[in-house]
Amino acid sequence: MEREKIGIKGMDLMIQGGFPRGSIIGLPGPPGVGKSIFALHFLLEGARKGQKCVYINLEEPERNIDNMVKQFDFSEEFFRLVKAGKIVLRCYTYPEYEKIYTELFQKIREDKEVKRLVIDSFNCFFSAVSHPEALTIPTEVNIRRMINQSFSMLRKKDLTTILILEMQHDLRSSFYYNIPYLVDGIINLDFLELGAIERRVFIPKMRWTKQYKESKSFDIGKKGIVMKKEE
Ligand SMILES: Nc1ncnc2c1ncn2[C@@H]1O[C@H](COP(=O)(O)OP(=O)(O)O)[C@@H](O)[C@H]1O
Ligand SMILES: [Mg+2]
């Protein structure tokens, strides 16, 4: 099994060295836990190896992405790889994205150089579609069809995809539909509140992999996500 490293030391070890190449991974977690930063590591790791890596953001303008990257020690290298075309950043609003996503996925599918893709966030797209003010008919059937269609377009031997899943604790299942069943793996980032807040990573699902059975704690700092030493 060929692997695509996440690029976060200690986390790759939890999944035998990385994601199975060609897999689609769900990355759920509450706001602020570190999902987008996790994505930066994944993009950076691929681009360092010369892979073309595409990041699609549906929530923030590009300026916000720049500001996020700037906080980290790897920012210079990151922006150099953006300039070199190895990391491609694309920001869309929901209506734009809804209109072009099939075209966009088709392009990504056809571009043989693209090896890594991140969609930040995937479920927000569907929840926006199901919003009462959205113009499309917000039937669950429609949403499931869009999800299935996205998956079949993203399934490609050499393309490894992360779908970020924004989640509030009280909204757990509703915006997920069948996503947890369709993905090949799930990396769960969460907060543990024990007086001080701690961030933890847990891997409930990873096909073709002997996965680590316990959760591990991590910190976010100048180096991005860093696993904490076990006591
Ligand atoms: N330089 C930094 N040092 C420490 N923590 C940071 C730093 N930069 C960002 N963070 C933490 O990362 C969080 C944002 O992470 P992000 O990946 O954007 O979250 P998510 O995408 O899951 O909503 C912030 O709330 C902050 O706690
Ligand atoms: Mg985010």
Side-chain angles (χ1 to χ4, degrees):
M1 173 66 67
E2 295 200 83
R3 300 274 165 181
E4 291 292 346
K5 265 193 183 180
I6 304 165
I8 300 170
K9 231 204 220 154
M11 238 187 251
D12 282 312
L13 292 176
M14 294 171 82
I15 47 170
Q16 294 188 293
F19 299 131
R21 180 170 298 166
S23 58
I24 300 178
I25 307 296
L27 180 63
V33 76
K35 300 182 298 299
S36 297
I37 298 170
F38 181 105
L40 297 183
H41 285 282
F42 178 72
L43 298 167
L44 189 61
E45 177 67 26
R48 276 178 179 154
K49 289 196 298 188
Q51 298 176 333
K52 189 165 166 187
C53 305
V54 178
Y55 175 77
I56 296 173
N57 192 298
L58 302 177
E59 299 192 301
E60 287 157 301
E62 202 157 325
R63 181 170 23 91
N64 288 11
I65 316 293
D66 286 353
N67 286 338
M68 168 169 69
V69 175
K70 272 184 204 150
Q71 300 177 80
F72 302 112
D73 291 344
F74 54 72
S75 63
E76 255 181 62
E77 185 186 12
F78 192 96
F79 289 125
R80 203 166 354 100
L81 289 162
V82 171
K83 274 217 183 87
K86 290 297 172 192
I87 298 174
V88 181
L89 306 174
R90 287 280 176 271
C91 297
Y92 299 99
T93 60
Y94 298 130
E96 273 176 345
Y97 181 75
E98 194 195 343
K99 243 184 266 159
I100 58 157
Y101 86 102
T102 44
E103 200 183 308
L104 190 68
F105 289 180
Q106 192 61 38
K107 241 195 245 165
I108 289 168
R109 221 187 139 75
E110 282 164 11
D111 187 338
K112 291 203 167 55
E113 275 181 70
V114 179
K115 305 292 186 204
R116 295 185 181 213
L117 170 67
V118 177
I119 303 180
D120 190 355
S121 66
F122 187 64
N123 65 302
C124 275
F125 165 47
F126 302 109
S127 46
V129 170
S130 62
H131 193 276
E133 284 166 33
L135 290 173
T136 48
I137 307 161
T139 62
E140 179 151 341
V141 175
N142 248 340
I143 294 172
R144 279 177 189 273
R145 190 184 300 138
M146 287 168 93
I147 293 173
N148 284 320
Q149 190 178 23
S150 305
F151 270 78
S152 62
M153 294 186 84
L154 295 175
R155 285 245 171 255
K156 201 179 113 179
K157 200 166 123 266
D158 284 339
L159 179 69
T160 308
T161 301
I162 292 181
L163 304 176
I164 291 181
L165 305 169
E166 272 297 345
M167 144 187 140
Q168 311 279 349
H169 275 284
D170 53 336
L171 295 177
R172 224 162 252 269
S173 55
S174 63
F175 289 161
Y176 278 113
Y177 299 94
N178 47 347
I179 296 173
Y181 298 95
L182 293 172
V183 291
D184 302 310
I186 298 173
I187 296 251
N188 202 47
L189 305 185
D190 212 346
F191 292 113
L192 195 70
E193 286 166 52
L194 293 170
I197 280 177
E198 189 178 82
R199 290 178 164 91
R200 297 198 73 92
V201 55
F202 174 64
I203 301 168
K205 171 176 181 181
M206 193 61 61
R207 283 177 181 153
W208 316 297
T209 304
K210 203 168 104 198
Q211 78 226 45
Y212 200 78
K213 290 190 184 65
E214 285 142 45
S215 71
K216 278 194 172 194
S217 79
F218 66 93
D219 267 328
I220 300 176
K222 293 291 284 173
K223 291 196 169 86
I225 291 177
V226 180
M227 302 307 289
K228 282 215 244 183
K229 290 231 160 61
E230 308 272 284
E231 267 115 56

